[in-house]
């Protein structure tokens, strides 16, 4: 069983966010990067399948600065990494296109992507890649069973419902958070990862479908703010609750 | 402009977002048309509902379309789009629409923008959408038509009735799906039903660790409420799945929703925005949760919650 996992080195939405002076991009100062949260689950799921059934896990990252994330995946237990050192930024077509090109000589049973990237929130790259490779797809996979030549996936729907579907392999799955408990990277893992292969494949995107006009902080309608030290805040909250008969 | 809107239904009910797509289509169609597409085995009743808001409703019916699969939805939509040549295809940003929309776009070589909250067609197709889980916004221009957009739920609720015709599209899937639908799985029921609670103390990633849930439990007990949480708290296993508030969890409308260390991502807000009283405590003054809260405090929950507990204990004696 060979699984390709896409892992993005992505800024954490909880880091300090501001718009760069061009008004069209995110200012890099204050951004903290790590493996995209959804991709942690995807990498973990792939490694578990490999541990049970044997095979290989290959991680693929797009970005000039994605080494740390690829190393982390190798330390978790992925076998090798492919780095595509190009910054595709916004256009998911570009990201999917360069990944397609970089893996064209790989035979695989499955490709895992995260459901979405935590910075762009597009939820596109995995599905676009599936379409470009003309493979069956399932998104938001919350439970997975792998059998010979097919997989049974439970997709997350709205309201806590799941949809169970069966796909033939090869296929592309996008993984929802919570499908497993991603392991922590051990010191041993980090040591072992040093000797693992990280291959660079240079490809440039050719398509361009979008243009950024403007980036800005969304206006937030503000709640009535309670000021003061923690004790005063607590006091005011209790006053509000009392007025409403809630305490 | 000719605008297609792909309808969605589940468990015998049309998703209200399908009508919202038509509301948007009617706003932007100019001297063109707003046309719904409904796909399935027996979709007459959905077509009738949609026809109230559409200039035309295309019915695509076949036994093999009884349950949604991306393969066959894309297959029939490609055939219809090729023949009818829409300028824009609107799809709900749902578990279903969000899945097949990028696939369809790629097969059409069409630009796509997902989770869109505003559309402007006065000079090409421009859209607005959030980035960074709601903390940043971007205006994008899609460089060509036809284009595909997935639309966020709840944004285009206002609209007028149009009253259009229902037409059989005369299209059948040209292949077999490589993905088979097996069954729907219902959510598990736990011991506490948070949808019935009057008071909810809800914790987010800001609670930091499983051991801190106790703090929320103690506060909830003093208030006579229950503890719920945002998705990361459930994903981490700190609370059971049935305590999740949000689009993929439960929708709650308690008398009090106390949000502790929750940023206020759209998927969370959809599950609690109609609560009677929302009070949010968050360290980040820019947290989007303050956009839905009635009262907010920029503070460390680990400072405020112990104070609340102490003061409530005093009151209770
Ligand atoms: C398809 C899909 C479905 C989803 N469904 C759901 C759903 O049903 N429910 C849901 O909740 N999410 C859902 N999500 C996830 C959602 O997008 C967000 O990732 C999630 O809601 C964020 O949870 P959070 O606010 O707890 O964490 P974060 O966004 O990480 O926010 C943590 C907040 O805590 C604050 N904080 C940190 N420490 C403290 C402290 N000591 N005191 C006070 N404040 C502090 C921070 O300032 C921050 O605002 C879904 C996502 C997708 C893609
Ligand atoms: N730059 C990237 N490098 C590697 N994988 C990526 C990259 N961008 C997106 N992906 C993958 O595609 C998924 C969806 O991303 P997006 O379409 O940006 O929301 C992510 O969870 C990743 O698995």
């Amino acid at each position: 069983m060979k699984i390709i996992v896409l892992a993005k080195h992505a800024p954490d939405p909880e880091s300090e966010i501001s718009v760069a002076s061009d008004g069209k991009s995110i200012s890099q100062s204050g951004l903290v990067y790590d493996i995209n949260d959804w991709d942690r689950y995807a990498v973990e799921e792939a490694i578990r399948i490999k541990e049970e059934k044997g095979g290989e896990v290959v991680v693929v990252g797009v970005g000039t600065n994605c080494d740390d994330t690829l190393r982390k995946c190798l330390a978790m237990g992925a076998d090798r990494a492919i780095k595509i050192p190009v910054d595709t930024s916004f256009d998911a077509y570009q990201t999917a296109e360069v990944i397609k090109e970089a893996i064209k000589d790989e035979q695989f049973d499955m490709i895992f992507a995260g459901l979405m990237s935590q910075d762009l929130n597009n939820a596109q790259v995995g599905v676009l890649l599936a379409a470009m490779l003309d493979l069956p797809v399932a998104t938001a996979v919350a439970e997975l069973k792998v059998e010979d030549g097919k997989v049974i996936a439970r997709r997350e729907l709205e309201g806590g419902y799941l949809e169970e579907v069966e796909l033939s392999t090869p296929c592309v799955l996008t993984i929802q958070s919570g499908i497993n408990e991603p392991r922590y990277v051990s010191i041993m893992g980090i040591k072992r990862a040093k000797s693992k292969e990280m291959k660079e494949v240079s490809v440039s995107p050719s398509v361009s479908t979008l243009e950024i006009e403007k980036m800005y902080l969304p206006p937030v309608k503000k709640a009535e703010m309670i000021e003061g030290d923690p004790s005063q805040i607590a006091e005011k909250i209790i006053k509000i609750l009392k007025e409403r008969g809630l305490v | 402009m000719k605008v297609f809107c792909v309808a969605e239904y589940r468990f015998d009910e049309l998703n209200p977002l399908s009508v919202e797509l038509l509301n948007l289509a009617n706003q932007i169609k100019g001297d063109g048309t707003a046309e719904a597409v409904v796909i399935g085995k027996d979709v007459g009743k959905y077509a009738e509902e949609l026809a109230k808001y559409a200039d035309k409703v295309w019915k695509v019916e076949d036994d093999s379309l009884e349950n949604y699969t991306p393969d066959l939805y894309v297959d029939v939509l490609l055939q219809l789009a090729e023949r009818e040549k829409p300028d824009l295809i609107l799809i709900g940003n749902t578990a279903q629409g969000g899945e097949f929309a990028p696939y369809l776009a790629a097969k059409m070589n069409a630009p796509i923008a997902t989770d869109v909250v505003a559309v402007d067609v006065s000079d090409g197709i421009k859209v607005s959408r959030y980035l960074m889980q709601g903390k940043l916004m971007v205006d994008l221009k899609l460089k060509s038509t036809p284009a595909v957009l997935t639309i966020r739920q709840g944004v285009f609720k206002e609209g007028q009735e149009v009253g259009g015709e229902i037409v059989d599209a005369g299209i059948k899937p040209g292949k077999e799906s490589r993905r088979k639908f097996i069954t729907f799985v219902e959510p598990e029921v736990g011991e506490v039903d948070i949808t019935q609670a009057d008071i909810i103390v809800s914790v987010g990633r800001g609670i930091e660790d499983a051991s801190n849930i106790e703090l929320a439990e103690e506060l909830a007990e003093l208030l006579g409420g229950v503890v719920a949480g945002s998705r990361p708290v459930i994903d981490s296993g700190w609370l059971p799945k049935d305590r999740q508030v949000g689009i993929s969890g439960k929708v709650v409308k308690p008398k009090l929703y106390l949000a502790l260390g929750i940023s206020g991502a759209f998927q969370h807000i959809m599950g609690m925005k109609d609560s009677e009283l929302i009070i949010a405590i968050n360290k980040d003054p820019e947290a989007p949760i303050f956009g839905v809260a009635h009262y907010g405090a920029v503070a460390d929950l680990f400072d405020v919650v112990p104070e609340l507990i102490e003061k409530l204990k005093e009151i209770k004696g």
Side-chain angles (χ1 to χ4, degrees):
Chain A
M1 180 78 38
K2 176 161 158 188
I3 307 173
I4 293 177
V5 189
L6 314 184
K8 180 175 187 178
H9 194 57
D12 183 345
E14 283 308 309
S15 45
E16 209 151 300
I17 294 167
S18 58
V19 178
S21 55
D22 66 357
K24 294 182 179 190
S25 55
I26 307 175
S27 164
Q28 289 300 313
S29 71
L31 289 186
V32 180
Y33 280 76
D34 200 349
I35 180 171
N36 178 39
D37 198 46
W38 278 275
D39 299 346
R40 272 192 319 130
Y41 293 94
V43 173
E44 175 66 35
E45 195 64 17
I47 293 171
R48 286 187 189 192
I49 294 167
K50 182 193 87 167
E51 284 169 348
E52 196 195 313
K53 301 190 181 288
E56 190 184 20
V57 175
V58 182
V59 276
V60 178
V62 182
T64 47
N65 67 347
C66 68
D67 300 49
D68 288 355
T69 280
L70 292 178
R71 290 245 159 67
K72 190 177 234 176
C73 298
L74 293 174
M76 282 174 78
D79 297 287
R80 59 190 169 91
I82 298 174
K83 174 182 173 184
I84 308 167
V86 53
D87 291 316
T88 48
S89 80
F90 233 85
D91 199 325
Y93 271 106
Q94 295 190 344
T95 312
E97 183 193 5
V98 296
I99 294 171
K100 182 189 170 199
E101 191 54 32
I103 63 171
K104 68 172 189 299
D105 295 328
E106 306 273 349
Q107 304 289 318
F108 57 86
D109 299 287
M110 292 188 280
I111 297 177
F112 290 177
L115 170 60
M116 63 165 64
S117 57
Q118 62 195 17
D119 52 341
L120 302 183
N121 308 155
N122 272 332
Q124 290 183 30
V125 169
V127 185
L128 291 177
L129 184 61
M132 290 172 178
L133 296 168
D134 199 28
L135 294 176
V137 72
T139 59
V141 173
E143 291 174 39
L144 183 61
K145 223 164 56 198
V146 179
E147 290 168 15
D148 253 357
K150 66 174 189 189
V151 298
I152 313 275
R154 286 185 167 181
R155 302 182 58 232
E156 186 178 280
L157 306 176
E158 288 77 14
Y161 282 88
L162 298 168
E163 176 189 31
E164 188 170 296
V165 299
E166 182 188 308
L167 295 88
S168 55
T169 55
C171 63
V172 178
L173 305 178
T174 81
I175 305 296
Q176 173 61 303
S177 60
I179 187 174
N180 54 37
E181 233 179 273
R183 69 196 66 191
Y184 285 99
V185 175
S186 67
I187 307 278
M188 273 299 290
I190 295 171
K191 278 197 183 143
R192 244 180 290 132
K194 290 216 173 99
S195 61
K196 290 181 179 172
E197 174 187 299
M198 180 138 98
K199 186 172 75 175
E200 282 202 19
V201 181
S202 292
V203 224
S204 305
S206 63
V207 293
S208 168
T209 66
L210 302 171
E211 214 170 287
I212 297 180
E213 298 237 306
K214 180 164 104 185
M215 214 178 264
Y216 47 101
L217 298 177
V220 180
K221 171 197 111 292
K222 272 283 159 75
E224 189 177 317
M225 297 313 273
I226 305 170
E227 315 283 345
D229 65 28
S231 163
Q232 290 165 326
I233 291 171
E235 201 143 303
K236 283 178 198 164
I237 290 176
I238 288 177
K239 185 162 163 263
I240 295 163
L241 298 184
K242 272 189 182 157
E243 281 165 10
R244 306 220 174 193
L246 291 167
V247 285
Chain B
M1 167 155 350
K2 187 191 266 196
V3 188
F4 267 22
C5 304
V6 185
E8 176 174 332
Y9 54 86
R10 186 176 297 140
F11 307 136
D12 249 7
E13 262 182 67
L14 189 68
N15 188 326
L17 178 51
S18 305
V19 174
E20 294 173 23
L21 299 180
L22 286 163
N23 291 340
L24 169 60
N26 283 318
Q27 263 176 44
I28 60 178
K29 69 186 179 188
D31 52 14
T33 49
E35 307 185 8
V37 183
V38 56
I39 302 166
K41 184 179 176 204
D42 182 13
V43 294
K45 75 168 185 183
Y46 307 120
E48 269 172 41
E49 179 66 17
L50 292 162
K52 288 187 208 157
Y53 309 94
D55 296 298
K56 189 182 268 185
V57 180
W58 297 100
K59 276 199 304 182
V60 181
E61 288 185 319
D62 191 67
D63 285 352
S64 67
L65 296 168
E66 177 168 13
N67 290 296
Y68 157 77
T69 62
D71 278 351
L72 297 193
Y73 264 51
V74 168
D75 181 69
V76 297
L77 284 166
L78 278 175
Q79 293 182 50
L80 189 65
E82 184 128 313
R83 195 182 77 196
E84 300 299 329
K85 307 221 173 330
D87 302 295
L88 196 56
I89 301 182
L90 306 182
I91 297 170
N93 190 50
T94 58
Q96 176 172 312
E99 180 175 61
F100 73 81
Y103 210 107
L104 176 68
K107 291 292 179 193
M108 294 176 68
N109 279 318
I112 174 167
T114 46
D115 202 12
V116 164
V117 297
V119 182
D120 173 1
V121 294
S122 56
D123 170 26
I125 295 173
K126 289 184 200 167
V127 303
S128 306
R129 63 184 304 276
Y130 288 95
L131 302 170
M132 291 281 184
Q133 308 271 71
K135 296 181 105 192
L136 196 61
M137 198 153 215
V138 67
D139 291 355
L140 291 172
K141 185 165 186 167
L142 287 82
K143 286 188 175 171
S144 62
T145 56
V148 176
L149 305 179
T150 74
I151 307 295
R152 179 174 281 198
Q153 148 193 12
V155 184
F156 301 101
K157 285 190 162 169
E158 309 297 321
Q160 287 149 14
E161 301 212 352
V162 177
E165 51 171 346
I166 298 173
V167 186
D168 191 332
I171 281 172
K172 303 269 178 235
K175 58 178 184 189
E176 256 189 52
S177 178
R178 297 162 297 183
R179 182 171 122 185
K180 288 181 189 68
F181 170 83
I182 301 174
T183 186
F184 290 114
V185 184
E186 296 208 6
E188 278 170 37
V189 261
E191 41 193 285
V192 175
D193 183 358
I194 58 170
T195 65
Q196 298 302 314
D198 279 341
I199 292 180
I200 294 179
V201 175
S202 195
V203 293
R205 213 199 295 263
I207 198 77
E208 276 173 15
D209 195 79
S211 59
N212 296 327
I213 298 284
E214 267 176 34
L215 200 63
E217 294 280 4
E218 189 177 1
L219 178 59
E221 199 168 310
L222 283 162
L223 288 166
V226 300
V227 175
S230 69
R231 174 157 198 139
V233 172
I234 278 75
D235 283 346
S236 305
W238 303 340
L239 282 173
K241 175 83 191 160
D242 61 327
R243 304 285 185 103
Q244 182 179 319
V245 173
I247 213 157
S248 53
K250 301 246 165 81
V251 177
V252 298
K253 294 178 192 172
K255 294 201 170 93
L256 168 65
Y257 190 86
L258 185 57
L260 306 174
I262 295 176
S263 64
F266 169 75
Q267 293 91 349
H268 186 80
I269 288 176
M270 289 311 285
M272 44 66 77
K273 65 175 172 32
D274 295 326
S275 304
E276 282 175 40
L277 174 65
I278 301 168
I279 303 179
I281 298 174
N282 195 303
K283 282 204 290 206
D284 176 8
E286 306 296 334
I289 191 75
F290 292 128
V292 285
H294 302 98
Y295 293 94
V298 178
D300 191 320
L301 75 92
F302 295 109
D303 293 334
V304 176
V305 173
E307 291 282 349
L308 274 171
I309 288 173
E310 200 172 304
K311 290 183 169 40
L312 285 166
K313 276 185 179 157
E314 275 169 30
I315 293 172
K316 307 241 151 161

